[in-house]
């Protein structure tokens, strides 16, 4: 019926196959996810990535779809590799064409891809046969250690009460969390304290100047990368030139 109407319409363009469009759009979404996952610079397990970066509805033009993780294994750490299988489901709505604008039939497609993620390397992907999984498992994301939300307040209070002799012990006592590293020093009568969560590239630098003011000096975030100064008092005492 739709095709007949199209043929009777003046200037009607070629009517496109909705299933083919859906397959193409699923492939496009798969490529976009490869680019989105990109090069990884954090230690993560595959389930965490599946839970936080994969499950998402998609909409493109007259199409609607969904991507969902089907299986996952491994982690991103040193030379280890995380693997995630993802299913893309796309449905294309029927569209009538007119005067040079092609219409299309309704269509749908399901395609599956395997993603491989490794530390400091671009994500790669390949199409795989879709397994017969009607209801895939739901990944969960256990939180990774992070800098405490009140870190600035806690470190400020510690610096206000510390002396050069008690600085290290006072700051450490304020931050008993094992995943938070502490580095302190005295430099030109200023008390310098640095907190770090190395795996997350989180770094907090505060300084109590000789007049008692608490400041937060800036620094180049690139100095936190592997092989650079790192998150320590060197950011303030001997910054790269």
């Amino acid at each position: 019926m739709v095709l007949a109407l199209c043929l009777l319409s003046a200037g009607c363009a070629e009517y496109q196959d909705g299933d083919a469009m859906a397959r193409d759009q699923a492939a496009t979404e798969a490529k976009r996810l490869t680019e989105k996952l990109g090069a990884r610079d954090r230690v993560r397990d595959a389930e965490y990535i599946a839970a936080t970066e994969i499950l998402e509805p998609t909409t493109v033009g007259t199409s609607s779809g969904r991507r969902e993780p089907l299986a996952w294994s491994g982690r991103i750490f040193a030379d280890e590799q995380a693997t995630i299988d993802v299913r893309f489901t796309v449905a294309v709505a029927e569209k009538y064409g007119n005067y040079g604008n092609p219409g299309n039939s309704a269509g749908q497609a399901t395609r599956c891809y395997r993603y491989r993620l490794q530390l400091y390397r671009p994500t790669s992907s390949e199409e795989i046969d879709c397994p017969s999984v009607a209801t895939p498992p739901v990944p969960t994301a256990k939180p990774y250690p992070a800098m405490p939300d009140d870190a600035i307040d806690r470190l400020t209070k510690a610096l206000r009460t510390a002396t050069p002799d008690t600085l290290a012990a006072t700051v450490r006592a304020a931050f008993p969390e094992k995943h938070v590293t502490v580095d302190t020093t005295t430099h030109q009568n200023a008390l310098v304290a640095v907190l770090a969560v190395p795996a997350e590239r989180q770094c907090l630098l505060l300084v109590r100047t000789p007049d008692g003011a608490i400041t937060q000096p800036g620094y180049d975030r690139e100095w936190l990368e592997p092989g650079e100064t790192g998150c320590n008092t060197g950011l303030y005492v001997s910054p790269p030139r």
Side-chain angles (χ1 to χ4, degrees):
M1 178 64 177
V2 174
L3 181 58
L5 288 174
C6 181
L7 292 174
L8 291 172
S9 300
C12 181
E14 181 181 354
Y15 202 63
Q16 298 184 75
D17 179 69
D19 288 339
M21 291 177 61
R23 283 188 57 79
D24 289 345
Q25 290 178 14
T28 297
E29 289 302 311
K31 181 179 179 181
R32 286 177 179 169
L33 180 58
T34 304
E35 295 171 350
K36 176 185 175 183
L37 293 173
R40 313 301 296 191
D41 63 353
R42 297 289 187 278
V43 174
R44 291 288 186 270
D45 58 62
E47 185 172 15
Y48 182 92
I49 298 170
T52 59
E53 300 184 50
I54 302 297
L55 190 61
E56 183 177 292
T58 59
T59 301
V60 181
T62 60
S63 304
S64 62
R66 183 178 181 82
R67 70 180 187 221
E68 50 193 343
L70 300 177
W72 49 85
S73 63
R75 62 174 181 168
I76 300 173
F77 179 74
D79 292 332
E80 296 180 38
Q81 179 178 262
T83 302
I84 306 173
D85 292 348
V86 182
R87 179 168 64 193
F88 295 82
T89 305
V90 176
V92 176
E94 185 176 41
K95 177 184 177 182
Y96 296 100
N98 56 62
Y99 302 103
N101 294 318
N104 62 266
S105 62
Q108 59 182 0
T110 300
R111 302 181 76 165
C112 296
Y113 291 77
R114 177 163 294 159
Y115 292 82
R116 302 183 188 279
L117 306 91
Q118 201 166 348
L119 201 61
Y120 303 122
R121 296 184 183 177
T123 296
S124 63
S125 62
E126 61 180 331
E127 187 166 12
I128 60 173
D129 293 333
C130 286
S132 300
V133 179
T135 304
V138 179
T140 57
K142 297 179 181 179
Y144 276 76
M147 190 75 72
D149 292 337
D150 62 346
I152 292 179
D153 290 340
R154 284 159 62 180
L155 186 53
T156 296
K157 291 178 181 178
L159 284 173
R160 283 174 177 163
T161 60
T163 67
D165 293 334
T166 65
L167 177 60
T170 300
V171 174
R172 183 74 271 181
F175 292 89
E177 295 90 346
K178 292 182 179 180
H179 66 274
V180 177
T181 64
V182 171
D183 189 27
T184 60
T185 192
T186 301
H187 178 68
Q188 297 178 349
N189 295 322
L191 303 185
V192 184
V194 176
L195 307 177
V197 181
E200 299 302 303
R201 306 285 198 282
Q202 292 183 318
C203 186
L204 175 62
L205 164 64
L206 291 186
V207 176
R208 193 184 84 188
T209 58
D211 61 3
I214 306 295
T215 65
Q216 187 173 357
Y219 55 83
D220 191 329
R221 296 291 300 180
E222 290 186 2
W223 298 348
L224 305 181
E225 295 299 320
E228 300 296 334
T229 300
C231 183
N232 53 59
T233 55
L235 293 174
Y236 180 78
V237 175
S238 55
R241 298 299 180 185

